[in-house]
Amino acid sequence: MRHAGRTASADRGEGLSVADLQRRLAEFARARDWGPYHTPKNLAAALSVEAGELVEIFQWLTPEESARVMEDEGTAHRVRDEVADVLAYLLQLCEVLGVDALAALSAKIDRNETRFPAP
């Protein structure tokens, strides 16, 4: 079901910002009174669980099979769902902690470029 006021292109992720997604996630949780459960500890644990579910899809695949995982629509659907779950919990954790995810990532890339210079 499409969120009120959303277009098909928005459903594909076009034109969405991190802030838009965080706002939607917060509204979703607020409507269900989940706020008391969205502590940093609980969100970090949920993020770990969802990341584990993503890993589980690839667990016994060969490197070659894992590279082709999106060719099977059923498996591709599972991958997209788990990626979405991981991202949802990460964005909620960032929101609760006041972390700007994009700024944090940019700063980390800057540090890694210094730590691991290109040959």
Side-chain angles (χ1 to χ4, degrees), residues 64-86:
E64 296 76 20
E65 290 168 333
S66 71
R68 295 188 310 270
V69 74
M70 299 306 284
E71 293 173 9
D72 175 75
E73 187 48 42
T75 306
H77 178 75
R78 288 179 54 217
V79 168
R80 286 189 296 271
D81 274 358
E82 297 308 333
V83 166
D85 288 342
V86 168

Side-chain angles (χ1 to χ4, degrees), residues 56-113:
E56 183 180 29
I57 296 167
F58 296 90
Q59 185 173 10
W60 303 113
L61 300 180
T62 66
E64 296 76 20
E65 290 168 333
S66 71
R68 295 188 310 270
V69 74
M70 299 306 284
E71 293 173 9
D72 175 75
E73 187 48 42
T75 306
H77 178 75
R78 288 179 54 217
V79 168
R80 286 189 296 271
D81 274 358
E82 297 308 333
V83 166
D85 288 342
V86 168
L87 183 57
Y89 280 117
L90 179 60
L91 292 179
Q92 290 173 94
L93 179 63
C94 288
E95 179 71 16
V96 166
L97 294 176
V99 172
D100 178 330
L102 298 182
L105 177 56
S106 181
K108 182 67 176 189
I109 293 169
D110 290 344
R111 287 191 303 278
N112 284 345
E113 288 173 339

